Amino acid sequence: MATVNGVSDALDPTNAARSTLKLENTEKRDTLIAIEKRYQKSWQESGVFNATAPTTSEIPTGTVTPLELHKKHPKYFGTFAFPYMNGTLHAGHSFTASKVEYCAGFARLQGKRVLFPLGFHCTGMPIKACADKLTDDVRKFGQNFENYEDEQADGGEQLPAPTQAETKEDITKFTSKKSKAAAKGVKLKHQFQIMLALGIPRQEIHKFADANYWLQYFPPLCKRDLNNFGARVDWRRSFVTTDANPYYDAFVRWQMNRLKELDKIQYGSRYTIYSPKDGQPCMDHDRTEGEGVAPQEYTALKLKVQEWSPEASKILQGKMPDSAKVFFVPATLRPETMYGQTCCFVGPKINYGVFKVSENEYYVITKRAAWNMAFQGIFFNNSQFPRDASELTSVAELTGASVVGTLVDAPLSVHKEGVRILPMDTVSPTKGTGVVTSVPSDSPDDYATVTDLAKKADYYGIKREWAELEIIPIVETPSYGNLAAPFLVKQMKINSPKDTKQLAEAKDLAYKEGYYKGTMIIGDFKGEAVEVAKPKVKAQLIQSGDAFEYAEPNGHVVSRSADECVVAYLGQWFLNYGENDPAWRDQVLEYVKGDMETFSSETQNSLEKNLEWLNRWACARTYGLGSKLPWEPEFLVESLSDSAVYMSYYTVAHFLHSDNFGTQPGLFQIKPEQMIDEVWDYIFCRRDISQDLLKSSGISKADLETMRREFEYWYPLDMRASGKDLLPNHLTFFLYIHLALFSPEFWPRSIRANGHLMLNGEKMSKSTGNFLTLSDAVTKYGADASRIALADAGDGVEDANFEETVANQIILRMHTLKEWCEETIRDPSLRTSSSDSDKNLWDRLFENEMHTLVHAAYTQYEATDYKVALKSSLYDFTSARDFYREALAAAAIPMHASLVKKYITLQALIISPIAPHWADYIWQEVLGQPDTIQNARWPDVPTVDASLTAAYTYIRTTTSAITSAEGAQVRKKSKGKSTSYDPESPKKLTIYTANAFPAWQERYIDLVRSFHEKASLEDKALNAEVGRMGEGKKAMPFVQGLKRRIQGGESARDVFERKLAFEETEVLGGMLRGLRKMVPRCKGVQ
C-alpha cells in the first residue's frame, strides 16, 4: 500500500500545471467569478439556451420550403467535434469550442434562433483498450493495487505528455519520451498508474476496468466544465455514442444501411494499416502514434541469385536445398526505370533474413519487411495472420556486408549477364525491404553512390567494374535530358553520397520531371508518357512473375494497445472514398471549391488536397466499443465512420431520450425499436409519410412531422468548428457522407478549422508543467477572462497562443471597467440635455467613434475574426471612452450623461459574445434591463459620419505629432546633444496650417483618381505604380491616406480637391484647452 501511495504522491496531477503563472491577490478575480456563477445558474435554470424550431401548428408541415422557413425565422446551428470520453477537457478543447460559442452569442444578437448542442464520443478502441489493461492490473495487483511493488529498474511507459496534435486530455495514450517524472525514477508501466497521475482516486480506479464506466464518469465532468465556461449549450440534446444508447445505435445502423444501398460501402480486399496484436485494422483514432499515416504501395522486384559472395555462400551452406531459388527483393516506386538497373544496394551494417516463401523459394529482406509481407499473403495465408513476430522465422541471417559481390539477375535490365550486390551506407532498415535496386540514370542517389563506389573500389572492398556498368538512357525529359540523375548531380555540384540535402532536392526534381513530363525511350512502351507507361510496366513485371505488390506504412504507427502496426491485405468493408468512385469525389470537391465557406485558404487547400488523395477507408472492426454493423453484427462500425453525420441526430435527440443513454424517455414516448430505417428516412426528408410507415413504426403522424420540422429547420449545419488535425479524416468524411445521404439544401454551409493551442508561447505539456485543463483555466482566471484570452489567442489555422498574462490582466481590466460603469452611471455631475444640438465637438466625436466600432465589430464577428472583434469591442471601445473622458477633463467639461449610458449599453452588447457573464451583469444590474442579455439584439446605430471620423483621426494624429516632437527633444537633450529645448521653461505651442500643398502631391492625387475611376484601389497594382514613380518613401503614406479617406466614406470629389471633411480651425479651437494641459508648462497655444 505504501508503494502505491508513493507513486500517487510522486505523480500529483497538479504538477502538470507547475510551470504556469502563479496568482497572488485574487480578490478581484473572486468578485468576477461570483458574478459568473450567479449568471450561469440563472441561464441553466431558465433554459435560455434550449432552442426549438417553429412548431407545425405555427407553420403547418408542407406549407413552406426549408429555405422559406429560414427566411421567416432565421437560425444558426453550430457544432464542434464532440470530445472523446477518456479524459477531461483541456484548454485546447475550449479554444475550438470558443469559436462556436462566439458565433452563437453573435447569432443571438442578430435575432436568430441558435442551436449549439454537444454529445460525447465513446466509439472505438481507446476506452476498451484501457479498460482491458486495468482488468489485467486488478488481476495482478488487487482491487486497489495493494500488491503492487515499485519497479524502479523496469523500463516502463512514461507519463503521457499531450502534444499539439492531440485534441483531448487523453489518458489512453502512451509515449516513449522521458518526462521529468521519468527522470525522478517514476515509471508508468501500468494503466492504473496513469489514472493515478491524472487525479482519479485510487479507490475509484478499479471501476474503470468496466468500459461502460468511462461513459458514465467523464460526460458529467465535460458538462460541468463547459457550464463553468459559460457555454451556450442545449444539453437536452446530449448523448453518448455506441450501442450504450439504443436510439443513437439505431441512427448509426440507418446510416450504414443507406450507404451500403447507395454502393458507398463495399466489400473487397485492400491494403490497410493493421494491428497484429489486436487482429484488426488500426484507423486514425485507434492510434497513439501515426495519425494520418497510410499504406505506401511498392513494386517488389525479384532479383534471383546467380552466384553468392564467398562469405554468404559459407554462411548459407546446408541452410537451404541446393536447388532453392533465392531472391533479393528490392521495393521500388519507379518500375518503369528498371531497364536501367546496374547494381543492387544493401546496407552493409543491416541484418537481413533469408525467409522461406515455399518449398523451393526464399527472399532476402529485413525482418521488418518480412513481417509486413506476412500480412499480405506472402509467408502466411490471408485467413491465418500471425499475432506475434516469433511466428515468423528465417532460415538464416546475413549482414549486408556479407552479401556484397553476390551476382543477381535484374528483371528488365539491359545487363542480361547480371548485376552485383553493392554496399550503400544510406540504405534505411525501416523503409522498404532494406534492399534497393540501383538505376543511376534517373536516381541522383544511385548515381552519386555508384560514382563514389567506382572511385573508392578498394576502400569498399569491391571490384571497380561492378560499379561501372553502362548507364543507359531510360526516360527523356524536357528539362534534364535523357540522363536526369547525372545532369542534376553535376548541375547542383553534388560531390558525394553524403550531400544528403542536395540529393533530396535533386531526387524530388528528377522524380517530378520524369513522372509528369517524361517519355519512355526504351522497352515495350517506348514513346509513351511515363505516367501512362508506369502501371503497364508494373503489370508486365507481375504477370511474368518477376515482381509482386508490396505495401507498408509510410510512417511509424502504434496502436492504442501499444502494438507497432503493419500493412495487411485483407477483405473488409470499406467506404468507397476517392478515385474508385470519381463521381462522388468530384461532387464533394466541386462543393468545397464552390458554395462552402472555409474561412481561410489554408483550410480550403487542405480539404481539396485531402479529397485528391484520400482512398477507400475501412469502416468496420472487431474490437472496441461501437454499434454493430447491421449486416454482419460480428463487426463494429469504426469510430470515424459512425461520427460523420451525427450532427443531424442532435436535431431530434431530445424527442427520443432525456438522458445520455436513452434510458429515460424524451419529449415523445418513442421506444428505440420504433426508430426503424424508414423513420429516419422520413425525418431526414428522404421520403414522404405513408400509412405503411405509421403502421410499421407505431409513431404518430404529429410526432413524425415535428421531428422532421426540427431537422429541416436546423439543417443545414451553419458551421462545423474543429482543430486542423481533423481535416484529413473526420472533416473530409463529414463532407462525403453528408453529400451522399442528404439533398443539397441540407449540405454543410461552412467548416472552420483552427490551429492547435499553445500555452504561454510553448506547446502544452504535462511533463514540463506547462498544461491547463479547461477546469484549471476557469478556476484560475474565471470564465470571461479565459474566454477573452482565448479570443485574443488567434483565429487562423496556424497555432494560437493562450497567454496567461493576458488572462490575468483581463481580470483587472474587467473589474475596473465594471466599477467605472457602476459609479459613473450614477454620477450626478454628468451633463444632461435633451437635444443633440447641445452636444459639443467631443461628444459628437465620441458618439461617432462608438458607431464606427460597433459597425466594425459586427463585420469582424460575422467573419469570425474574433481577435480583431475583441480589439474593436473591448480595447478600442474603452480607448475611445478614455479619449473622450480625458479630452473633457482637460477642458474642465463633464461627460454627457446620455453618452455615458450609451457607451455602457453598447459596451455590454458588443462584448457579450465573448464575455457574456460580465455583459449580463452590466445589462441587468447596472443598466437595470429586465431580461438577460442573451435575449438582447445587436445595437442599431447610425451610419458613420465620415467628417467626424476624419476630425477624430486629425485630432489623434495632431496630438501624437506634438507629443512625439516634444519626446524627440527630450531624448536629444538626454543624450547631451545641443538643443534650445528646456523642459523646465515655460512653453508656447504654435500650430501651422497650410493654404497650399506641395506640388509633388498633385501627381499622386491624379494617380489615385485614375485608379478610383477604374473602380480599383487594389493595393498591389496601386503600390507598384507608386513605386515606379520613384518617390515611394514619402508618397506611399500619402497615397494610403487618400485611399483610407475614400474607403472610409468621404466624398471622392472632396478628397481629390484637397478639401478636409471638417472645419480645421474649429477642431483646433476645440483642442486648445486640452493641448495646454497635455504640454508641461505650456503658457499658450496659437
Side-chain angles (χ1 to χ4, degrees):
M1 183 72 71
T3 303
V4 176
N5 287 333
V7 172
S8 182
D9 291 342
L11 297 177
D12 181 350
T14 60
N15 284 335
R18 64 184 176 275
S19 299
T20 60
L21 187 68
K22 303 297 184 290
L23 303 188
E24 295 179 0
N25 188 342
T26 63
E27 181 182 353
K28 292 180 174 62
R29 178 204 68 184
D30 295 343
T31 298
L32 293 176
I33 287 179
I35 291 171
E36 291 169 356
K37 295 301 179 189
R38 192 160 72 245
Y39 281 91
Q40 287 165 6
K41 184 173 184 291
S42 171
W43 297 337
Q44 292 303 316
E45 289 178 348
S46 67
V48 68
F49 304 136
N50 294 346
T52 305
T55 66
T56 53
S57 58
E58 294 175 77
I59 303 176
T61 301
T63 59
V64 295
T65 65
L67 182 60
E68 292 168 339
L69 187 63
H70 297 152
K71 285 183 177 179
K72 189 171 184 179
H73 298 281
K75 62 88 184 179
Y76 170 82
F77 178 20
T79 65
F80 76 103
F82 51 15
Y84 198 76
M85 289 296 100
N86 58 351
T88 56
L89 306 183
H90 61 61
H93 285 105
S94 53
F95 181 58
T96 301
S98 71
K99 306 306 180 185
V100 184
E101 251 300 292
Y102 306 148
C103 265
F106 179 61
R108 295 183 74 93
L109 287 170
Q110 292 176 297
K112 298 177 181 178
R113 302 191 191 199
V114 174
L115 176 58
F116 176 16
L118 187 67
F120 308 106
H121 198 200
C122 308
T123 307
M125 284 182 57
I127 290 173
K128 177 63 174 167
C130 284
D132 288 350
K133 291 173 187 175
L134 280 173
T135 299
D136 191 50
D137 286 352
V138 170
R139 180 181 57 79
K140 289 179 180 178
F141 308 123
Q143 179 169 296
N144 293 321
F145 317 103
E146 60 272 9
N147 298 324
Y148 173 74
E149 293 182 5
D150 204 0
E151 300 168 282
Q152 292 292 325
D154 190 3
E157 300 289 350
Q158 310 300 333
L159 177 65
T163 67
Q164 289 302 300
E166 294 171 19
T167 56
K168 50 187 169 290
E169 183 190 0
D170 188 343
I171 65 177
T172 66
K173 286 199 174 185
F174 295 87
T175 175
S176 59
K177 295 181 180 179
K178 291 188 175 181
S179 65
K180 290 188 177 180
K184 296 177 182 178
V186 177
K187 304 295 184 180
L188 296 188
K189 180 178 180 180
H190 305 289
Q191 182 67 37
F192 83 87
Q193 294 173 312
I194 296 172
M195 309 294 279
L196 281 170
L198 291 164
I200 307 297
R202 177 164 50 85
Q203 295 80 3
E204 290 264 329
I205 292 176
H206 70 90
K207 297 178 183 178
F208 289 86
D210 177 2
N212 290 318
Y213 187 70
W214 299 65
L215 281 59
Q216 300 168 29
Y217 186 86
F218 286 112
L221 299 183
C222 175
K223 180 178 179 180
R224 175 205 67 189
D225 292 347
L226 285 169
N227 279 340
N228 290 339
F229 184 63
R232 300 174 175 91
V233 175
D234 182 350
W235 292 111
R236 300 173 306 155
R237 300 170 188 260
S238 298
F239 57 90
V240 296
T241 64
T242 78
D243 54 8
N245 184 319
Y247 295 95
Y248 185 76
D249 188 54
F251 167 76
V252 173
R253 291 198 308 272
W254 163 80
Q255 172 192 330
M256 302 306 285
N257 281 331
R258 293 300 178 253
L259 289 169
K260 186 170 182 288
E261 290 170 5
L262 291 167
D263 206 29
K264 304 305 181 185
I265 293 178
Q266 298 178 358
Y267 186 86
S269 294
R270 60 185 290 272
Y271 291 114
T272 190
I273 305 295
Y274 183 87
S275 166
K277 181 178 178 180
D278 300 328
Q280 66 176 8
C282 184
M283 309 315 288
D284 273 4
H285 282 191
D286 301 329
R287 305 172 187 175
T288 61
E289 190 176 341
E291 188 167 340
V293 171
Q296 174 65 64
E297 297 184 30
Y298 293 91
T299 302
L301 284 175
K302 297 167 66 174
L303 278 60
K304 184 180 177 182
V305 174
Q306 290 187 38
E307 175 186 304
W308 285 104
S309 68
E311 185 178 349
S313 180
K314 185 177 179 181
I315 294 171
L316 296 173
Q317 186 69 38
K319 301 288 180 67
M320 297 174 293
D322 292 340
S323 60
K325 297 177 182 178
V326 185
F327 299 89
F328 281 78
V329 184
T332 181
L333 294 171
R334 303 196 64 185
E336 75 282 3
T337 66
M338 292 303 98
Y339 302 100
Q341 295 174 85
T342 64
C343 63
C344 181
F345 295 127
V346 294
K349 297 179 182 179
I350 294 175
N351 291 321
Y352 295 88
V354 181
F355 296 91
K356 183 177 180 179
V357 182
S358 64
E359 286 304 319
N360 207 39
E361 188 169 331
Y362 298 81
Y363 291 166
V364 180
I365 50 179
T366 60
K367 177 68 178 281
R368 172 188 167 277
W371 185 234
N372 267 277
M373 290 182 186
F375 299 88
Q376 298 169 30
I378 304 297
F379 304 115
F380 292 84
N381 187 287
N382 275 348
S383 62
Q384 295 179 331
F385 286 158
R387 285 296 185 99
D388 189 270
S390 62
E391 298 177 51
L392 177 66
T393 59
S394 60
V395 300
E397 291 188 1
L398 300 164
T399 63
S402 70
V403 299
V404 170
T406 297
L407 183 67
V408 295
D409 285 328
L412 294 186
S413 174
V414 296
H415 299 291
K416 302 301 182 183
E417 70 282 1
V419 300
R420 297 285 176 172
I421 302 293
L422 298 179
M424 185 183 201
D425 290 332
T426 56
V427 172
S428 171
T430 59
K431 186 175 183 181
T433 62
V435 180
V436 180
T437 192
S438 172
V439 183
S441 58
D442 291 85
S443 169
D445 287 287
D446 295 354
Y447 181 75
T449 300
V450 296
T451 302
D452 190 58
L453 288 170
K455 286 180 182 178
K456 305 173 183 176
D458 291 340
Y459 173 78
Y460 288 109
I462 65 170
K463 293 182 179 180
R464 183 171 180 175
E465 58 267 26
W466 292 351
E468 289 188 327
L469 295 188
E470 182 186 0
I471 300 173
I472 64 163
I474 307 297
V475 175
E476 182 71 42
T477 66
S479 301
Y480 313 131
N482 58 21
L483 291 171
F487 179 92
L488 286 165
V489 167
K490 292 169 186 174
Q491 183 187 63
M492 300 176 70
K493 298 180 180 179
I494 297 170
N495 297 315
S496 84
K498 294 180 180 179
D499 295 335
T500 54
K501 185 177 179 181
Q502 298 100 305
L503 281 169
E505 183 181 350
K507 177 181 178 180
D508 187 57
L509 292 171
Y511 182 83
K512 287 181 179 177
E513 178 82 4
Y515 183 74
Y516 292 108
K517 300 179 181 179
T519 303
M520 299 296 297
I521 56 177
I522 192 173
D524 293 347
F525 308 103
K526 180 179 178 179
E528 294 190 15
V530 168
E531 197 170 359
V532 175
K534 179 176 179 174
K536 294 180 180 180
V537 176
K538 177 180 178 178
Q540 187 181 66
L541 283 164
I542 293 173
Q543 188 175 5
S544 67
D546 291 319
F548 58 92
E549 291 184 325
Y550 166 68
E552 65 183 28
N554 62 7
H556 190 235
V557 181
V558 179
S559 73
R560 299 279 180 168
S561 58
D563 185 33
E564 186 170 349
C565 293
V566 297
V567 166
Y569 187 74
L570 72 167
Q572 58 187 280
W573 291 101
F574 56 82
L575 280 154
N576 197 31
Y577 300 138
E579 61 186 13
N580 295 291
D581 191 339
W584 192 17
R585 178 198 60 197
D586 293 347
Q587 181 188 42
V588 179
L589 191 58
E590 182 181 348
Y591 186 63
V592 169
K593 290 180 176 180
D595 295 337
M596 197 183 74
E597 174 64 62
T598 58
F599 299 99
S600 74
S601 59
E602 294 91 342
T603 299
Q604 174 94 14
N605 294 338
S606 178
L607 285 169
E608 290 179 17
K609 182 179 177 182
N610 297 335
L611 287 164
E612 288 168 1
W613 70 257
L614 180 69
N615 213 321
R616 294 169 169 173
W617 185 269
C619 61
R621 60 156 58 84
T622 58
Y623 176 80
L625 302 180
S627 295
K628 292 179 174 61
L629 203 62
W631 55 91
E632 279 197 51
E634 63 270 28
F635 290 101
L636 298 170
V637 180
E638 182 264 337
S639 63
L640 283 167
S641 302
D642 86 335
S643 56
V645 292
Y646 68 86
M647 313 85 202
S648 60
Y649 184 81
Y650 283 135
T651 64
V652 296
H654 60 309
F655 294 122
L656 305 177
H657 50 85
S658 58
D659 68 325
N660 289 333
F661 295 91
T663 61
Q664 301 297 320
L667 297 178
F668 297 158
Q669 299 297 313
I670 297 175
K671 297 177 181 179
E673 56 269 24
Q674 293 178 272
M675 297 303 295
I676 57 178
D677 287 352
E678 291 73 18
V679 168
W680 294 110
D681 284 337
Y682 175 74
I683 291 171
F684 298 141
C685 302
R686 293 169 53 89
R687 62 163 290 165
D688 293 327
I689 204 162
S690 68
Q691 287 302 316
D692 287 343
L693 176 60
L694 295 174
K695 183 178 180 180
S696 59
S697 70
I699 302 174
S700 71
K701 181 180 180 182
D703 288 352
L704 286 171
E705 289 180 343
T706 299
M707 289 192 288
R708 179 163 175 158
R709 167 56 54 80
E710 284 280 322
F711 169 75
E712 66 182 3
Y713 177 68
W714 291 116
Y715 251 59
L717 185 63
D718 293 288
M719 187 176 81
R720 178 66 169 170
S722 172
K724 62 184 178 182
D725 53 304
L726 295 185
L727 282 167
N729 43 61
H730 164 69
L731 291 173
T732 305
F733 302 170
F734 160 81
L735 292 172
Y736 260 116
I737 306 303
H738 268 88
L739 269 63
L741 293 179
F742 301 121
S743 54
E745 65 265 34
F746 300 125
W747 292 353
R749 291 293 178 255
S750 72
I751 286 176
R752 193 189 192 288
N754 55 260
H756 303 302
L757 187 68
M758 295 190 294
L759 180 60
N760 302 323
E762 298 179 358
K763 288 184 177 181
M764 282 201 289
S765 169
K766 289 184 179 180
S767 64
T768 63
N770 191 53
F771 188 79
L772 282 180
T773 64
L774 174 55
S775 179
D776 290 338
V778 171
T779 300
K780 192 172 186 178
Y781 300 109
D784 282 343
S786 297
R787 293 167 67 107
I788 291 171
L790 287 168
D792 187 71
D795 289 307
V797 296
E798 65 277 1
D799 289 349
N801 181 38
F802 183 96
E803 190 63 58
E804 287 191 277
T805 55
V806 171
N808 194 31
Q809 291 163 4
I810 286 297
I811 293 171
L812 176 60
R813 175 184 284 270
M814 301 310 286
H815 189 274
T816 302
L817 186 55
K818 175 186 81 73
E819 289 188 328
W820 184 89
C821 292
E822 292 167 339
E823 295 167 4
T824 308
I825 200 167
R826 300 181 180 89
D827 186 349
S829 67
L830 296 177
R831 280 185 296 127
T832 57
S833 63
S834 58
S835 171
D836 281 349
S837 60
D838 293 333
K839 292 179 180 176
N840 61 34
L841 173 64
W842 303 108
D843 295 335
R844 298 197 305 276
L845 290 174
F846 177 45
E847 188 170 36
N848 187 69
E849 183 63 10
M850 287 195 289
H851 297 162
T852 299
L853 292 170
V854 168
H855 287 300
Y858 187 96
T859 301
Q860 292 150 2
Y861 276 124
E862 196 168 44
T864 74
D865 292 333
Y866 300 117
K867 187 177 178 72
V868 289
L870 174 66
K871 182 176 183 294
S872 295
S873 61
L874 180 61
Y875 299 126
D876 289 350
F877 214 70
T878 53
S879 177
R881 178 210 61 177
D882 293 342
F883 182 79
Y884 173 63
R885 182 174 58 173
E886 291 162 8
L888 289 181
I893 302 172
M895 293 184 292
H896 200 291
S898 67
L899 288 183
V900 167
K901 184 174 182 180
K902 184 172 186 176
Y903 163 77
I904 295 172
T905 301
L906 294 177
Q907 177 66 94
L909 287 167
I910 66 175
I911 197 60
S912 66
I914 297 174
H917 309 84
W918 185 93
D920 214 355
Y921 170 81
I922 297 297
W923 186 251
Q924 293 192 63
E925 299 188 39
V926 175
L927 294 170
Q929 296 290 343
D931 191 16
T932 173
I933 202 169
Q934 302 284 4
N935 293 328
R937 296 291 176 265
W938 187 267
D940 183 14
V941 298
T943 302
V944 174
D945 186 325
S947 64
L948 289 173
T949 299
Y952 186 81
T953 302
Y954 176 85
I955 290 170
R956 303 206 76 157
T957 302
T958 303
T959 303
S960 176
I962 293 168
T963 55
S964 295
E966 186 177 27
Q969 292 299 316
V970 171
R971 287 191 297 276
K972 187 175 181 181
K973 189 173 183 67
S974 68
K975 294 178 180 179
K977 296 182 180 180
S978 176
T979 176
S980 59
Y981 176 79
D982 182 0
E984 301 301 322
S985 299
K987 303 173 187 66
K988 178 182 178 182
L989 177 63
T990 303
I991 301 174
Y992 297 93
T993 59
N995 293 320
F997 295 96
W1000 66 266
Q1001 293 183 358
E1002 293 299 331
R1003 295 194 298 277
Y1004 292 95
I1005 287 175
D1006 291 340
L1007 174 66
V1008 175
R1009 182 187 288 113
S1010 68
F1011 271 79
H1012 181 260
E1013 288 171 354
K1014 298 173 187 174
S1016 172
L1017 287 176
E1018 193 267 322
D1019 273 339
K1020 188 174 181 180
L1022 180 59
N1023 293 350
E1025 189 62 24
V1026 171
R1028 189 190 64 77
M1029 292 172 69
E1031 297 168 298
K1033 188 171 182 181
K1034 64 180 179 181
M1036 194 67 74
F1038 177 70
V1039 168
Q1040 291 300 321
L1042 296 175
K1043 180 180 170 182
R1044 279 195 298 271
R1045 288 179 64 188
I1046 294 170
Q1047 293 177 336
E1050 289 188 52
S1051 160
R1053 179 178 178 180
D1054 287 350
V1055 172
F1056 295 138
E1057 290 182 0
R1058 316 303 299 280
K1059 293 180 180 178
L1060 291 176
F1062 56 91
E1063 180 54 54
E1064 186 176 16
T1065 54
E1066 178 190 349
V1067 171
L1068 286 170
M1071 294 173 63
L1072 292 179
R1073 282 178 134 181
L1075 291 174
R1076 288 195 191 98
K1077 187 171 182 180
M1078 181 184 71
V1079 179
R1081 299 180 179 273
C1082 183
K1083 299 301 183 182
V1085 180
Q1086 69 176 35

